[in-house]
Amino acid sequence: MEMCGLDSDGKEFKSSDEMWRHEFGEQGDDDQHKNKNEWYRKGVGYWEGVEASVDGVLGGYGHVNDTDIKASEDFLKSIISERLGTNRKLAALDCGSGIGRVTKNLLLRYFSEVDLEEPVSHFLEAARESLSPENGTVSDDQKAVNFYCVPLQEFTPEAGRYDVIWVQWCIGQLADDDFVSFFKRAKVGLKPNGVFVLKENIAKSGFVLDKEDKSVTRSDLYFKELFKQCGLHLFKSKDQKGFPAELFPVKMYALTTDMPRRVHGTRSKIRSNLPGLIK
């Protein structure tokens, strides 16, 4: 992809392809697969050293939790109203669930069943404990059902199970090819009218590679090019408001496997090109 960027050491790249070659080696090299696996191992290893708490999973910014959840809830409610309806039991998948923060504070208030996927075992165990019936945070009508301790690049959702697949602050851990591969596989997990929600940090342009946790922050344009490769369509999007200025901007995307009639929040291209009426 012809987008320039840099890494956290200040090294500049003329394109994302150059950056991935720098990280993994040339396509077809004997060591490329090994280097890529090591890259993922180090990424998980970074999070294995992080405390299983809200402050830990939010990188020391635990105080943004309420602001994050409120914006996500507003976005989710609009999706349910416009796309899913409220007259049936809904199921969701929380990808990169961490300690179950989003599941506990948001998803279990709108979905009858929520499954969690998370590669860091002590995060997932904390989620399992927090979301157990004994702690009174779940009920028979709204409960966490399955806990999958598996990396996102290796995970395939159960076919036809989910109304919403929620992917927040974890897709940056995936290389471009695994990003596309994941969403192509995950499509089978959606019910008719099902939606992917992707909530992520956004680079102003191109990309920024974090050498420490092995993650890539992509620009809005970068994401939209990858969505196209995945065969996904933008249903609606919204900017997160109220975060500290020193953090990356954050954006929410609702993505569908079918072409929406019109992307929400945009004017019809055909209509906007019509000459004005003389009255």
Side-chain angles (χ1 to χ4, degrees), residues 20 24 33 36-37 39-40 152-155 171 173-186 218 226 229-230:
W20 293 122
F24 303 145
H33 184 68
K36 193 177 189 183
N37 286 340
W39 196 79
Y40 282 130
L152 196 61
Q153 70 272 14
E154 299 175 12
F155 182 67
I171 204 70
Q173 304 292 149
L174 297 193
D176 291 354
D177 57 344
D178 288 322
F179 179 116
V180 174
S181 177
F182 165 71
F183 278 106
K184 285 185 174 180
R185 292 195 313 277
R218 299 170 169 99
L226 289 177
Q229 293 179 32
C230 295

Side-chain angles (χ1 to χ4, degrees), residues 78-275:
S78 69
I79 292 168
I80 292 174
S81 173
E82 297 167 22
R83 182 91 182 175
L84 302 176
T86 58
N87 296 323
R88 59 190 175 92
K89 290 186 176 182
L90 302 175
L93 171 66
D94 185 358
C95 292
S97 63
I99 61 172
R101 182 185 68 90
V102 174
T103 291
K104 181 178 180 179
N105 294 308
L106 174 62
L107 299 180
L108 280 176
R109 294 194 283 118
Y110 291 90
F111 296 88
S112 301
E113 294 186 348
V114 181
D115 294 341
L116 293 82
E117 175 277 335
E118 170 58 50
V120 179
S121 60
H122 77 288
F123 284 175
L124 198 63
E125 286 308 309
R128 190 191 301 272
E129 182 177 346
S130 173
L131 298 170
S132 67
E134 290 77 12
N135 286 329
T137 57
V138 297
S139 67
D140 289 339
D141 293 329
Q142 293 173 302
K143 57 189 175 183
V145 178
N146 297 303
F147 297 80
Y148 299 107
C149 192
V150 59
L152 196 61
Q153 70 272 14
E154 299 175 12
F155 182 67
T156 302
E158 178 183 336
R161 172 160 170 73
Y162 304 110
D163 297 279
V164 168
I165 296 180
W166 191 278
V167 186
Q168 180 168 352
W169 285 329
C170 63
I171 204 70
Q173 304 292 149
L174 297 193
D176 291 354
D177 57 344
D178 288 322
F179 179 116
V180 174
S181 177
F182 165 71
F183 278 106
K184 285 185 174 180
R185 292 195 313 277
K187 287 179 186 179
V188 304
L190 291 175
K191 296 178 184 177
N193 291 327
V195 180
F196 289 107
V197 175
L198 177 66
K199 185 169 186 177
E200 265 298 342
N201 295 341
I202 302 293
K204 289 183 179 179
S205 63
F207 58 88
V208 179
L209 167 65
D210 189 315
K211 299 285 286 184
E212 185 178 13
D213 69 6
K214 300 298 181 182
S215 68
V216 179
T217 300
R218 299 170 169 99
S219 67
D220 178 63
L221 185 61
Y222 197 151
F223 272 120
K224 287 176 177 175
E225 176 57 35
L226 289 177
F227 298 156
K228 189 184 304 182
Q229 293 179 32
C230 295
L232 295 174
H233 305 282
L234 183 61
F235 178 64
K236 66 191 309 179
S237 63
K238 189 175 183 179
D239 294 332
Q240 170 74 50
K241 303 293 185 182
F243 277 7
E246 68 267 22
L247 298 180
F248 279 112
V250 172
K251 199 174 189 73
M252 294 171 278
Y253 301 94
L255 304 162
T256 63
T257 58
D258 59 297
M259 177 73 77
R261 293 179 181 177
R262 182 173 67 87
V263 176
H264 289 252
T266 63
R267 297 177 61 190
S268 166
K269 290 183 179 179
I270 296 175
R271 188 173 186 83
S272 64
N273 288 332
L274 290 175

Side-chain angles (χ1 to χ4, degrees), residues 38-93:
E38 179 67 8
W39 196 79
Y40 282 130
R41 188 191 67 78
K42 288 180 178 178
V44 171
Y46 172 86
W47 289 105
E48 285 175 341
V50 171
E51 179 185 81
S53 66
V54 172
D55 205 47
V57 298
L58 292 181
Y61 284 85
H63 58 282
V64 308
N65 177 68
D66 291 346
T67 303
D68 169 60
I69 294 297
K70 177 63 171 63
S72 294
E73 181 174 17
D74 291 343
F75 194 63
L76 176 61
K77 286 195 297 186
S78 69
I79 292 168
I80 292 174
S81 173
E82 297 167 22
R83 182 91 182 175
L84 302 176
T86 58
N87 296 323
R88 59 190 175 92
K89 290 186 176 182
L90 302 175
L93 171 66

